[in-house]
Amino acid sequence: MKSLGIIITSVLVSSVVAVIPIAEKSKNFWLNSGRASIEESLRVRNIVEKAKNVIIFIGDGMSLPTITASRILKGQSAKHPGEETILSWEKFPYAGLAKTYNVDSQVPDSAGTATAFLSGVKTRMGMINVDASVNRGDCAASQGHELDTILRWSLDTGKSAGVVTTTRITHATPAGAYASVANRNWEGDNEMTDVHGGCKDIAKQLVEDNKDIQVIMGGGRHYFYPNGHKDPENGHNGQRQDGRNLIEEWQKEKATRGVKAKFVWNATDLSHVDPASTDYLLGLFDSSHMSYSYEQETQDTKDPTLAEMTEKAIQILQKNNNGFFLLVEGGNIDHSHHSGRAFDALHDTLALEQAVAKSASITNEKDTLILVTADHSHTMTMAGYPARGNPILGVAGKASDNKYYTTLIYGTGPGHASPRHDASHHHTLVESYNQDAAVPTHSETHGGEDVAIYARGPYAHLLTGVHEQNYLAHVMAFASCVGPYKQSGACSHSGGIIG
Ligand SMILES: [Zn+2]
């Protein structure tokens, strides 16, 4: 690590002297580091072997400002100015951009976008793996219009598959891997009491139609427990109206087949799962969404970290010589932004960063394609002219109303006040702080601009440039020779090899 000089912490005004690492004052530092980057880029070789394994990491709502701000927070937590810090996926050799709109919406939601990057087909907002000829919520019309996904294609070619998230496992992004619904809200049968046409809720689809998924981890137990069943952790009532206990059914089905399966609901039990003697793992760690990573660090939430879940998932999936597909979502980034609070969005981005670092360290770049991207953006922006090293959650300066404002502010959200609050009167550095929003909305909204894609491994070089978001599913399928690219993908490509 380079010497970064002394930094000033706790600054609340923009007049603070910038903290410039001593080395950066020398032109040679920039000339030499620029030259070193050229040499590094020249050493990059496109890998044109078949991808045995594919891992896609989704930071839900992880916009570029979220990534930049998280990078600075990471650096500042290590007592550096922060701006020069590198996140684990920023060491990947390739990056590109994805256009995220849904076919019917300029600014997308997670259901339409998950369908795009997992099935390879863009669709309407609010629908999961149903094509856009169907209207949202039309159960009857959706039948026959379901879309297969990279997870199903991978399982069908003898690979293993897993889904890991910090949201309910039935939420839009994880459901995008395994379910088809005309309305993303159909997470449990209690959400479908007015739906006709025989459609299945997402929890039921997971247990009944996806018996071959080896690893399932996230939150959302209440859609699996029947009404009247008390949750083991918080005593909350189960939500199912059909009286079924889908967790028990999952366990029974595995016992009937005689496969080595485990159900766990807390971090301690997960840590005791031995990958060598576990072929199927169901981990549901909360009755609804899992806790924010900062709460995991500071309270006894009994939740495993995203990195712990990811590591266990890979250890189990890696046992299959045919390879695996794994979706990992940092889903609470989105929830923090929706609440108009940047603090947890940044901390949960850093939790995702740890999960990516772990996966990169226990897989081989030669045979494992790793993608890191977001499904969509948010309205958080990074503004003003705060000095170098200024706390990223701090105050940027004074606005023309003579009040202070924070570096991170929102376009929409619950942080709106008229007249505006003076940011210096608030504790802007704490978890509960609501950054200013220009426009009042109960829930801060998504943003519509492109998101970044970072990639390493076989055919990662296809993920450069600007593409429609559905392109991601095509690259994953092409690189691993599954689904529509089973015959025509990397395995038959002139530069490739037969896997
Ligand atoms: Zn959202």
Side-chain angles (χ1 to χ4, degrees):
M1 205 56 210
K2 303 169 214 61
S3 167
L4 293 164
I6 297 158
I7 73 153
I8 299 162
T9 52
S10 76
V11 274
L12 280 173
V13 288
S14 61
S15 55
V16 66
V17 177
V19 180
I20 309 174
I22 292 157
E24 292 185 23
K25 292 184 180 173
S26 152
K27 72 173 182 186
N28 286 337
F29 169 83
W30 296 106
L31 293 172
N32 292 339
S33 61
R35 192 185 308 274
S37 289
I38 289 278
E39 282 163 12
E40 214 173 295
S41 295
L42 288 171
R43 279 198 296 273
V44 172
R45 292 285 175 270
N46 295 346
I47 299 174
V48 290
E49 313 272 312
K50 176 190 175 185
K52 179 182 176 191
N53 313 309
V54 175
I55 309 175
I56 180 169
F57 288 92
I58 301 295
D60 198 311
M62 189 175 68
S63 59
L64 270 170
T66 307
I67 292 173
T68 305
S70 301
R71 173 202 296 156
I72 295 172
L73 178 66
K74 179 187 176 187
Q76 294 184 339
S77 303
K79 304 266 186 278
H80 299 305
E83 295 80 3
E84 67 298 325
T85 306
I86 298 166
L87 298 173
S88 55
W89 56 73
E90 292 173 341
K91 294 173 194 151
F92 289 3
Y94 306 98
L97 293 171
K99 296 160 71 177
T100 63
Y101 67 94
N102 297 144
V103 298
D104 62 345
S105 191
Q106 211 164 53
V107 178
D109 88 324
S110 294
T113 56
T115 303
F117 61 75
L118 292 167
S119 80
V121 177
K122 277 204 173 193
T123 191
R124 295 175 193 265
M125 180 185 259
M127 303 207 306
I128 298 169
N129 296 322
V130 171
D131 72 46
S133 69
V134 178
N135 287 323
R136 177 174 178 170
D138 192 337
C139 162
S142 70
Q143 286 161 29
H145 289 271
E146 297 89 352
L147 300 164
D148 273 337
T149 69
I150 177 76
L151 176 135
R152 181 51 48 202
W153 300 330
S154 301
L155 286 167
D156 287 351
T157 44
K159 292 175 183 291
S160 292
V163 184
V164 172
T165 180
T166 52
T167 67
R168 293 188 296 267
I169 194 69
T170 50
H171 209 236
T173 307
Y178 63 83
S180 305
V181 276
N183 184 341
R184 59 177 287 174
N185 297 335
W186 297 345
E187 292 183 59
D189 67 341
N190 58 311
E191 310 286 359
M192 299 182 70
T193 47
D194 57 348
V195 178
H196 306 287
C199 289
K200 243 187 227 189
D201 63 87
I202 295 170
K204 199 152 87 176
Q205 288 189 37
L206 177 56
V207 172
E208 283 188 352
D209 306 336
N210 290 281
K211 294 171 181 159
D212 47 358
I213 300 181
Q214 278 84 356
V215 176
I216 301 166
M217 280 189 268
R221 287 189 298 259
H222 67 213
Y223 286 125
F224 294 79
Y225 283 135
N227 189 3
H229 183 282
K230 293 245 176 299
D231 188 87
E233 187 174 10
N234 56 23
H236 289 180
N237 196 9
Q239 299 286 306
R240 296 203 66 78
Q241 303 300 300
D242 57 11
R244 290 170 65 173
N245 181 332
L246 295 179
I247 293 172
E248 247 175 48
E249 288 185 26
W250 182 91
Q251 291 172 294
K252 273 185 193 152
E253 190 273 333
K254 302 296 177 269
T256 307
R257 276 163 58 198
V259 295
K260 294 177 272 184
K262 279 210 173 65
F263 166 68
V264 292
W265 64 267
N266 60 64
T268 310
D269 289 352
L270 177 67
S271 71
H272 292 146
V273 169
D274 174 17
S277 60
T278 308
D279 293 332
Y280 289 82
L281 175 63
L282 175 63
L284 295 177
F285 302 105
D286 233 301
S287 58
S288 184
H289 300 306
M290 290 175 63
S291 307
Y292 286 122
S293 64
Y294 181 75
E295 287 164 3
Q296 292 180 356
E297 287 163 27
T298 52
Q299 302 165 29
D300 179 24
T301 63
K302 296 188 171 58
D303 287 354
T305 65
L306 191 57
E308 287 164 352
M309 293 194 285
T310 303
E311 181 178 23
K312 196 71 78 178
I314 292 172
Q315 288 169 341
I316 292 172
L317 298 172
Q318 266 179 339
K319 296 192 295 181
N320 186 337
N321 289 330
N322 289 324
F324 66 85
F325 167 80
L326 174 63
L327 167 72
V328 179
E329 184 202 25
N332 281 331
I333 300 166
D334 181 67
H335 296 152
S336 178
H337 277 322
H338 278 305
S339 70
R341 297 181 294 120
F343 184 102
D344 285 312
L346 308 193
H347 281 86
D348 271 69
T349 297
L350 295 181
L352 180 71
E353 198 240 354
Q354 292 297 305
V356 172
K358 175 53 73 178
S359 78
S361 74
I362 59 175
T363 57
N364 187 341
E365 187 174 13
K366 295 260 183 292
D367 67 8
T368 303
L369 173 63
I370 301 181
L371 274 65
V372 180
T373 187
D375 47 358
H376 56 72
S377 173
H378 268 276
T379 71
M380 190 191 80
T381 188
M382 197 174 150
Y385 300 99
R388 176 77 183 275
N390 195 53
I392 188 60
L393 289 161
V395 168
K398 257 186 185 176
S400 49
D401 60 4
N402 212 29
K403 291 174 183 170
Y404 289 106
Y405 67 100
T406 51
T407 304
L408 302 180
I409 48 179
Y410 286 97
T412 60
H416 177 84
S418 185
R420 219 168 60 77
H421 293 306
D422 191 337
S424 69
H425 295 156
H426 292 263
H427 302 288
T428 67
L429 305 178
V430 300
E431 189 181 17
S432 59
Y433 183 72
N434 265 119
Q435 280 78 16
D436 267 359
V439 172
T441 56
H442 291 300
S443 172
E444 183 267 353
T445 68
H446 294 173
E449 74 274 12
D450 297 355
V451 294
I453 312 158
Y454 307 84
R456 81 161 208 191
Y459 290 95
H461 53 283
L462 299 184
L463 291 160
T464 53
V466 184
H467 297 275
E468 293 285 356
Q469 195 168 35
N470 66 312
Y471 176 69
L472 273 68
H474 291 260
V475 172
M476 292 188 284
F478 179 93
S480 59
C481 312
V482 300
Y485 299 93
K486 201 172 172 181
Q487 310 299 334
S488 61
C491 304
S492 67
H493 189 258
S494 56
I497 55 152
I498 303 298

